[in-house]
Amino acid sequence: MILAGMTWWGTAAAGALEEALPGLADRAFPAKQQAVQALAATGDSRALPILEALLAGDLYTREAADPPLVLARPSAAGLRLSDPLTGVDLGEVERATVKKIPLNNALRTALRGGIAALTLSSPDPAVRSRAAKDLMRDPSPESVTALRARLEQEQDAAVRTTLVLAVAVADLRVGTPEARLAAVATLEGSLYPEARNGLTTLIANETDADVKAAAERALTAIDARLTWNARAETLFFGLSLGSVLVLAAIGLAITFGVMGVINMAHGELMMLGAYTTYLVQQALPGWVDYSLFVAIPAAFIVSGLFGIAIERTVIRFLYGRPLETLLATFGISLILQQLVRTTISAQNVAVENPSWMSGSLQINPALALTYNRLYILAFALLVFVALLLILKRTALGLQVRAVSQNRAMARAMGVRSARVDALTFGLGAGIAGVAGVALSQLTNVGPNMGQAYIIDSFMVVVFGGVGNLWGTLIGGMTLGVANKFMEPWAGAVLAKILVLVFIILFIQKRPRGLFPQRGRAADG
Amino acid sequence: MGGQVERWQYLNPGKTLAETLDISHTTLLYVEGVTVSFDGFRALNDLSFYVDVGELRCVIGPNGAGKTTMMDVITGKTRPDAGYVFFGQSINLLELDEPRIAQAGIGRKFQKPTVFEQHQVYENLELAMAGDKRVWPTLTARLSGAQRDRIDEVLGIIGLRDHAWRPAGALSHGQKQWLEIGMLLMQDPLLLLVDEPVAGMTHQEMDRTAELLLSLEGKHSVVVVEHDMDFVRSIAKRVTVLHQGSVLAEGSMDEVQHDPRVVEVYLGE
Amino acid sequence: MGIVKALKGDTGGQVMLAVLLVVTLVVPVLNLAVPETSFWHVSTYTVTLLGKYLTYALLAVAVDLVWGYLGILSLGHGAFFALGGYAMGMYLMRQIGDRGVYGDPILPDFMVFLNWKELPWFWNGFDMFWFAALMAILVPGVLAYVFGYLAFRSRVTGVYLSIITQALTYALMLAFFRNEMGFGGNNGLTDFKELLGFDLQSDGTRAGLFMASAAALALGYLACRMIVTSRLGRVAVAIRDAESRTRFIGYRVERVKVAIFAFSAMLAGVAGALYVPQVGIINPGEFSPLNSIELVIWVAVGGRATLYGAVVGALMVNYGKSTFTAMFPEAWLFALGALFVLVTLLLPRGIAGWLPARRAG
């Protein structure tokens, strides 16, 4: 059989790869091991799939055929064969006609090392990084050598970082005490989980007191950094929750601040915004990545028009009766919920995330910020600034502020307060719709989704101070962050309860919120 | 000091706040160095103002002089940034809230008449009546014969006997003013603060109001804030002129009318 | 004497109480004494349904007392109702004894299921009816007192107060959903067997509970009438219409508010305690903000500041709900939503507003 192989390989151009390959078919395990190492040493990229196939059990030998080594994949008739070097299809055969190359543990180790060494020299940096990480998991003196050799010539900075880490982690396991000490020094402060694991294992097994002490110091340093990273992550989650609260509350802050009416259907206007996102996606299949840019103005318009309709048909008859307004708008919220339930579905609908919103921004190995939260945070700030500009720079904004400060006087000055009321309400509702677009990217979209937000957003408005947009921003962010920081030790539900209790106690001290409107007008 | 009064009351439950009043120096109300700011605007600026027992005092001044704010401070609606307000020598009004100040013996009529519109005139007077205003006694309260007589008497004074069973909301503007004065009388306060009592009244009604306020002099101290100079002239013995949150002049009507600073303030307006 | 005075001029209340008296006497007879085959027979299902409505009516009266007469729109009265219900539920749980699925003589099933070894301290005493009954009144009362004290002292009014009461019931709902709270979590308390030794499934007990509910409604109504016809009631209306003026004539507004609010919460607790044995279950869903706000609309439909209107409204809306959800289950939320809008827009004084004008308060 070897002979047959020789003739076949002999026909090909002689190379290191071709020379080493027949060894894989040898019956003796040591011979196969040697062949693996020889293949790995070639650095030839064609060797990699062969070694991987061997490890996966897909490499077979066959009698009296050329080539004698074949790749086999299961097929209808039994196995479909192909040439491991050229990939040429060799037809289907029955299982009995070929023989799988058997493996043992030593061979497997050699294979893994060989694969790693080969991948370390892959042209793709991502593959090299992964290989270095693989080697870290089960290091041997050989792999350390391979890693060091690679480090010498590595150009890519990210891969170098991984290689340095891998060398150090491998050294912890297999290096001399000096090398271990040096490795500990390298790993100090590293946030890779492998570094921490390596140090923990080292401390458990280390006999050298100096190395052990150094390792313990390094571990403490890592843990301290991890703690800070965990806090940073909590802060990020808090700001993310806060941005949702701000988005939800800011529209409410406008309608409540200007008109003094609590719109209990505010959450449902958000829900309409989320459903608009869904419908836009349905209408533009295959445009998921861009549909949000259509959905945002669409949701603003849909919810805004609903808002204006609500104001014109119900709320305007109830000015000066805030409690009745609360009840009537609650009724509207029930109707809107049922409307969605009967026209679309009582079940949650699936809103897709565009690809640019998936994935995360890796700040360091222990801290990743997901893009969807990051974008929504930025979006919330954008909406806030836009609203601030509308109120400060436009004619509508001036009229809105005038009406909110002194309705009678504004009317006397010729402000058409009815029109301002309708537009203000439309603006607040439209922003609720836009908030709904953002929410659709974070939570389930269903008929009941709005209900959860009315109490929260009202709390934000009360906490921040009515009629003050900055108060809403800071109030929302503060509550979001407080909630997330309390969650680890209190649990999500208790954290929410504690925030509610806190707000009830807070308004004892500051009934008008963090940033109250002051002056005589605020009394009474 | 008011705090002491509070604690003391537990030891002497029979004694009300009004009974702890010390007016041995014949001055009933001390307002000293009071300053109130709203967002940088000084509504009261180091105001000092005293009212004697049984005195009828008129306070005049241009708009924004701080007249209403002064009443707000005395009745506990607004807390000053600086200064002292004492009722007699022992009751520190700055430590009390509105109901306690009312119970101590200070009644107030608002610029805009506020009566309980859903209640009948009679009930308005009943509610204002001096007495134990805690929750349980109020729940079990029944009108005694003497109390009915008193309500009837006040109904007569304010000329609303024929309207006793009408809802207060159905009264005319002038009648509401009268009803509010009647409620003040029912409170039987030592000090009445009366803010623009004759706004919206006919001349006839004004005369009757003047008569009524004059009749109170001696028994009660009365501070009247009013814009109508004829009315002020008809009742005033002493007049205080406020300007920009502090006292500009004080004296008889003649004196202040000829005070050049007062003339300047009013003419400059 | 007090009763006569309290009902003087209250035609609606007199009619309502008279009808209630007749129904209370006739329905149990028609249920227990008239054979099932007879046209006049009233099924036990109907008796229980009526009993449930009567507890709702008592709850509505409690809400009307604070909303109609004091101007406090509480969106959290469902919480007081549920707390009263839980107090009763705890008693009923302890009455199950070893007849539960797990047969533990002390621990209710859900505690055995959670692998708890002993009764939490706050379950002590609930094996005694008088204690549970006391707690059904005291717990809502004390909660309302503390909550009201904090809220009214800092002069939280209007929509602020409404939303905070809603937050209160929302927070309680979240809390009661937690298993660790020791109130059966999501499933609540159920599988009750007997009350004071009477089998809860028997017709006689059902009729008895119905009559007790009617009696509680009548007594609660009379107590509320006595309050609103007293000087304190007039002070309450004064606070509703001109809060700060009431302060300036010497009333401690926050004390009046907290007293009436706490009393109202106690009434709600009684209603809840009567509700639970009739429906056979109490779970955290009773704390849902929707329940609390729905009961406000009962009062609005009947006409607020009339008390009897609250009774009429509660009975009508719930009867409507029962029939409506049976016929068009999809449309009930439309109907309820429309009811909210139409009543506030077109019928601000409720059904009572159709009756010959009579001064409120």
Side-chain angles (χ1 to χ4, degrees):
Chain A
M1 196 177 82
I2 297 170
L3 203 74
M6 287 299 278
T7 43
W8 175 60
W9 291 114
T11 60
L17 180 69
E18 288 74 6
E19 268 173 33
L21 200 53
L24 293 182
D26 200 306
R27 267 174 219 277
F29 281 107
K32 280 193 272 199
Q33 208 167 323
Q34 264 179 0
V36 167
Q37 275 152 7
L39 279 172
T42 61
D44 191 319
S45 63
R46 290 177 300 169
L48 188 57
I50 299 173
L51 293 184
E52 278 170 345
L54 180 57
L55 187 63
D58 291 336
L59 203 60
Y60 287 71
T61 56
R62 55 179 182 175
E63 299 284 344
D66 196 49
L69 274 170
V70 287
L71 273 175
R73 305 252 180 260
S75 70
L79 293 167
R80 175 166 288 275
L81 306 183
S82 60
D83 187 320
L85 271 179
T86 60
V88 174
D89 186 25
L90 299 171
E92 277 183 84
V93 295
E94 283 177 31
R95 278 177 184 278
T97 59
V98 289
K99 191 162 172 287
K100 189 191 275 190
I101 298 176
L103 300 178
N104 68 2
N105 279 339
L107 189 56
R108 281 196 191 91
T109 311
L111 270 171
R112 279 194 207 100
I115 291 169
L118 272 175
T119 43
L120 272 182
S121 52
S122 156
D124 181 356
V127 174
R128 296 203 295 276
S129 262
R130 206 166 49 237
K133 286 199 172 170
D134 285 346
L135 285 182
M136 251 188 273
R137 218 154 285 146
D138 192 16
S140 63
E142 294 76 30
S143 57
V144 178
T145 319
L147 286 167
R148 277 193 209 285
R150 185 63 218 169
L151 188 55
E152 295 280 308
Q153 41 180 308
E154 182 59 56
Q155 301 296 322
D156 187 288
V159 179
R160 278 192 73 90
T161 316
T162 316
L163 284 171
V164 169
L165 174 77
V167 169
V169 171
D171 268 345
L172 285 185
R173 292 275 288 274
V174 296
T176 60
E178 291 75 29
R180 293 205 295 273
L181 208 53
V184 167
T186 314
L187 295 178
E188 187 156 340
S190 166
L191 291 173
Y192 288 93
E194 293 86 354
R196 195 176 178 281
N197 289 343
L199 285 171
T200 322
T201 323
L202 181 73
I203 291 167
N205 305 322
E206 183 56 65
T207 45
D208 187 311
D210 285 347
V211 180
K212 190 168 184 163
E216 274 163 356
R217 269 200 309 280
L219 193 64
T220 318
I222 289 179
D223 284 347
R225 282 196 65 188
L226 282 177
T227 313
W228 278 107
N229 274 296
R231 280 183 199 150
E233 191 174 36
T234 311
L235 182 69
F236 174 65
F237 283 142
L239 289 176
S240 166
L241 175 63
S243 64
V244 172
L245 289 177
V246 169
L247 274 173
I250 203 162
L252 197 72
I254 292 178
T255 49
F256 186 53
V258 175
M259 298 189 251
V261 304
I262 270 297
N263 175 18
M264 295 293 277
H266 189 77
E268 277 61 36
L269 291 169
M270 288 166 66
M271 185 251 312
L272 288 180
Y275 271 91
T276 306
T277 317
Y278 168 73
L279 293 177
V280 166
Q281 284 190 352
Q282 295 296 304
L284 299 173
W287 291 81
V288 174
D289 279 4
Y290 309 98
S291 65
L292 279 192
F293 298 102
V294 182
I296 289 170
F300 183 85
I301 292 169
V302 168
S303 296
L305 288 179
F306 265 93
I308 290 176
I310 293 170
E311 201 276 340
R312 286 288 89 189
T313 56
V314 177
I315 291 175
R316 74 175 164 130
F317 300 109
L318 296 171
Y319 283 125
R321 290 155 64 196
L323 298 181
E324 273 89 343
T325 314
L326 189 155
L327 291 178
T329 50
F330 182 78
I332 293 168
S333 79
L334 294 182
I335 295 174
L336 289 179
Q337 277 175 35
Q338 193 59 34
L339 194 69
V340 168
R341 237 176 247 133
T342 35
T343 55
I344 298 179
S345 164
Q347 260 72 51
N348 288 351
V349 295
V351 174
E352 287 172 56
N353 296 51
S355 59
W356 48 268
M357 277 184 89
S358 55
S360 51
L361 176 68
Q362 197 81 33
I363 302 290
N364 65 38
L367 181 61
L369 310 181
T370 49
Y371 280 123
N372 62 349
R373 288 176 188 278
L374 216 51
Y375 279 121
I376 285 169
L377 183 57
F379 183 64
L381 295 177
L382 205 69
V383 170
F384 176 78
V385 171
L387 199 58
L388 215 54
L389 288 178
I390 290 177
L391 287 184
K392 289 253 191 272
R393 295 282 160 83
T394 66
L396 173 67
L398 182 68
Q399 294 179 342
V400 164
R401 280 182 293 146
V403 171
S404 76
Q405 275 163 28
N406 191 333
R407 180 172 290 266
M409 182 60 83
R411 197 175 290 157
M413 305 281 287
V415 176
R416 284 153 69 199
S417 63
R419 183 173 158 275
V420 172
D421 283 337
L423 288 180
T424 313
F425 204 83
L427 180 65
I431 287 170
V434 169
V437 179
L439 270 187
S440 74
Q441 297 299 313
L442 283 181
T443 59
N444 294 328
V445 174
N448 294 331
M449 67 181 289
Q451 278 185 326
Y453 288 93
I454 187 69
I455 292 180
D456 284 346
S457 17
F458 192 84
M459 290 296 145
V460 169
V461 175
V462 169
F463 182 58
V466 174
N468 187 323
L469 283 187
W470 286 100
T472 307
L473 179 71
I474 293 172
M477 290 299 177
T478 312
L479 290 185
V481 171
N483 215 327
K484 285 296 170 188
F485 270 95
M486 269 191 285
E487 263 179 27
W489 58 269
V493 171
L494 212 55
K496 214 171 168 92
I497 297 171
L498 286 174
V499 167
L500 290 177
V501 171
F502 163 75
I503 289 174
I504 290 176
L505 293 177
F506 173 81
I507 56 175
Q508 299 300 303
K509 283 285 160 213
R510 306 194 62 158
R512 295 190 184 279
L514 275 180
F515 300 96
Q517 281 183 324
R518 281 208 304 276
R520 289 210 285 192
D523 292 337
Chain B
M1 283 179 93
Q4 280 172 3
V5 171
E6 289 275 286
R7 281 192 289 281
W8 201 50
Q9 258 192 303
Y10 287 103
L11 300 174
N12 297 278
K15 213 151 194 181
T16 65
L17 205 51
E19 283 166 326
T20 65
L21 186 68
D22 175 5
I23 44 171
S24 53
H25 289 78
T26 73
T27 300
L28 182 63
L29 180 72
Y30 301 76
V31 176
E32 287 183 354
V34 166
T35 298
V36 174
S37 308
F38 297 116
D39 276 339
F41 166 69
R42 288 205 159 186
L44 292 183
N45 190 4
D46 196 23
L47 173 76
S48 294
F49 176 76
Y50 306 90
V51 178
D52 283 348
V53 175
E55 181 189 1
L56 172 63
R57 173 78 64 90
C58 284
V59 177
I60 60 173
N63 275 328
K67 303 179 300 277
T68 299
T69 307
M70 181 186 78
M71 291 210 170
D72 284 348
V73 168
I74 297 168
T75 53
K77 191 178 177 196
T78 300
R79 298 281 160 201
D81 303 326
Y84 305 97
V85 183
F86 273 81
F87 193 48
Q89 292 175 48
S90 57
I91 301 176
N92 180 355
L93 292 181
L94 298 186
E95 290 180 358
L96 304 182
D97 58 6
E98 299 100 312
R100 280 186 187 280
I101 291 173
Q103 284 161 9
I106 298 180
R108 177 175 182 186
K109 196 206 87 60
F110 286 81
Q111 191 172 342
K112 183 171 160 254
T114 31
V115 294
F116 304 122
E117 310 224 331
Q118 297 274 317
H119 284 312
Q120 294 156 352
V121 169
Y122 193 91
E123 289 170 335
N124 268 279
L125 295 177
E126 180 199 347
L127 288 181
M129 186 169 58
D132 195 338
K133 288 179 173 168
R134 289 173 300 170
V135 173
W136 188 255
T138 309
L139 179 66
T140 55
R142 296 279 176 274
L143 281 175
S144 67
Q147 287 171 328
R148 283 176 202 282
D149 290 349
R150 172 68 184 150
I151 293 176
D152 195 55
E153 186 191 344
V154 170
L155 277 171
I157 294 174
I158 60 176
L160 291 175
R161 205 170 264 155
D162 294 341
H163 303 283
W165 305 108
R166 288 178 69 195
L171 297 180
S172 72
H173 186 79
Q175 286 171 322
K176 282 184 191 171
Q177 294 271 43
W178 277 93
L179 174 56
E180 215 185 348
I181 294 171
M183 288 165 73
L184 260 186
L185 296 177
M186 289 305 300
Q187 273 178 269
D188 200 19
L190 291 153
L191 173 65
L192 285 80
L193 304 173
V194 189
D195 204 347
E196 301 201 17
V198 295
M201 280 189 180
T202 61
H203 269 283
Q204 219 177 350
E205 286 172 329
M206 258 195 228
D207 290 346
R208 279 181 58 201
T209 310
E211 232 172 86
L212 172 66
L213 290 175
L214 283 170
S215 76
L216 295 173
E217 195 184 353
K219 282 178 284 180
H220 308 266
S221 301
V222 184
V223 176
V224 180
V225 168
E226 188 49 73
H227 275 297
D228 189 308
M229 283 305 156
D230 290 339
F231 179 75
V232 171
R233 197 171 291 115
S234 69
I235 61 168
K237 303 238 164 29
R238 270 172 79 80
V239 177
T240 301
V241 184
L242 291 192
H243 179 56
Q244 290 180 350
S246 44
V247 174
L248 182 69
E250 201 166 274
S252 73
M253 193 63 191
D254 275 346
E255 282 165 26
V256 299
Q257 258 182 323
H258 295 105
D259 187 316
R261 290 170 306 169
V262 176
V263 172
E264 190 195 336
V265 164
Y266 269 86
L267 289 181
E269 215 180 22
Chain C
M1 179 59 204
I3 294 173
V4 174
K5 191 167 170 288
L7 288 177
K8 201 177 134 210
D10 179 25
T11 320
Q14 290 163 9
V15 172
M16 188 275 290
L17 284 178
V19 172
L20 184 67
L21 180 70
V22 172
V23 169
T24 312
L25 295 177
V26 170
V27 165
V29 173
L30 295 182
N31 171 241
L32 298 174
V34 175
E36 278 186 38
T37 49
S38 162
F39 171 77
W40 293 103
H41 177 76
V42 173
S43 71
T44 303
Y45 171 79
T46 311
V47 172
T48 302
L49 197 65
L50 287 175
K52 192 174 93 171
Y53 289 173
L54 292 181
T55 63
Y56 284 154
L58 178 57
L59 177 58
V61 167
V63 169
D64 194 21
L65 181 66
V66 290
W67 184 32
Y69 293 87
L70 206 47
I72 298 172
L73 176 57
S74 166
L75 298 182
H77 256 57
F80 305 126
F81 180 79
L83 285 173
Y86 264 98
M88 178 56 73
M90 286 161 80
Y91 163 75
L92 295 170
M93 278 316 254
R94 304 245 1 218
Q95 290 306 293
I96 296 173
D98 58 8
R99 285 167 292 179
V101 176
Y102 295 106
D104 191 296
I106 303 289
L107 294 185
D109 279 346
F110 75 88
M111 292 188 194
V112 182
F113 184 75
L114 291 173
N115 224 348
W116 291 10
K117 293 297 169 231
E118 57 185 54
L119 214 55
W121 61 269
F122 48 83
W123 275 75
N124 287 324
F126 278 93
D127 50 335
M128 293 169 287
F129 179 79
W130 67 267
F131 183 81
L134 191 65
M135 287 299 131
I137 298 169
L138 272 189
V139 171
V142 169
L143 176 68
Y145 190 90
V146 172
F147 179 84
Y149 174 79
L150 291 173
F152 302 140
R153 194 186 55 149
S154 49
R155 302 195 183 169
V156 180
T157 55
V159 287
Y160 282 82
L161 188 75
S162 299
I163 299 283
I164 289 190
T165 54
Q166 187 171 40
L168 169 78
T169 190
Y170 184 61
L172 281 169
M173 179 176 76
L174 293 179
F176 272 74
F177 265 122
R178 287 158 48 89
N179 277 330
E180 305 84 72
M181 278 287 284
F183 296 106
N186 203 359
N187 299 325
L189 310 175
T190 188
D191 289 336
F192 308 132
K193 306 285 188 236
E194 59 191 31
L195 171 70
L196 287 169
F198 296 105
D199 179 6
L200 278 174
Q201 303 308 321
S202 81
D203 294 353
T205 314
R206 293 298 177 103
L209 283 167
F210 165 75
M211 292 173 78
S213 303
L217 174 60
L219 290 175
Y221 183 85
L222 287 173
C224 288
R225 272 304 297 182
M226 282 178 171
I227 291 176
V228 302
T229 53
S230 75
R231 188 183 292 168
L232 187 68
R234 290 192 282 280
V235 172
V237 172
I239 291 172
R240 180 191 75 188
D241 295 341
E243 177 164 337
S244 106
R245 189 75 186 87
T246 316
R247 277 204 184 90
F248 285 111
I249 57 173
Y251 290 99
R252 314 222 55 164
V253 165
E254 60 282 355
R255 294 200 184 167
V256 175
K257 281 184 171 180
V258 83
I260 296 181
F261 189 65
F263 177 76
S264 165
M266 290 182 192
L267 280 187
V270 171
L274 285 162
Y275 168 83
V276 166
Q278 302 191 67
V279 298
I281 185 169
I282 175 82
N283 62 34
E286 294 293 338
F287 285 105
S288 113
L290 177 63
N291 281 20
S292 291
I293 200 165
E294 199 180 315
L295 73 93
V296 168
I297 211 65
W298 305 343
V299 180
V301 166
R304 67 194 178 105
T306 58
L307 290 180
Y308 71 87
V311 177
V312 174
L315 298 180
M316 281 186 53
V317 176
N318 280 294
Y319 178 73
K321 184 179 186 175
S322 298
T323 46
F324 221 102
T325 44
M327 289 191 294
F328 324 98
E330 286 291 299
W332 167 242
L333 277 188
F334 280 131
L336 185 64
L339 198 59
F340 271 96
V341 176
L342 295 178
V343 166
T344 44
L345 277 184
L346 307 176
L347 212 60
R349 304 204 307 133
I351 291 169
W354 289 341
L355 303 177
R358 188 168 290 284
R359 215 171 50 83

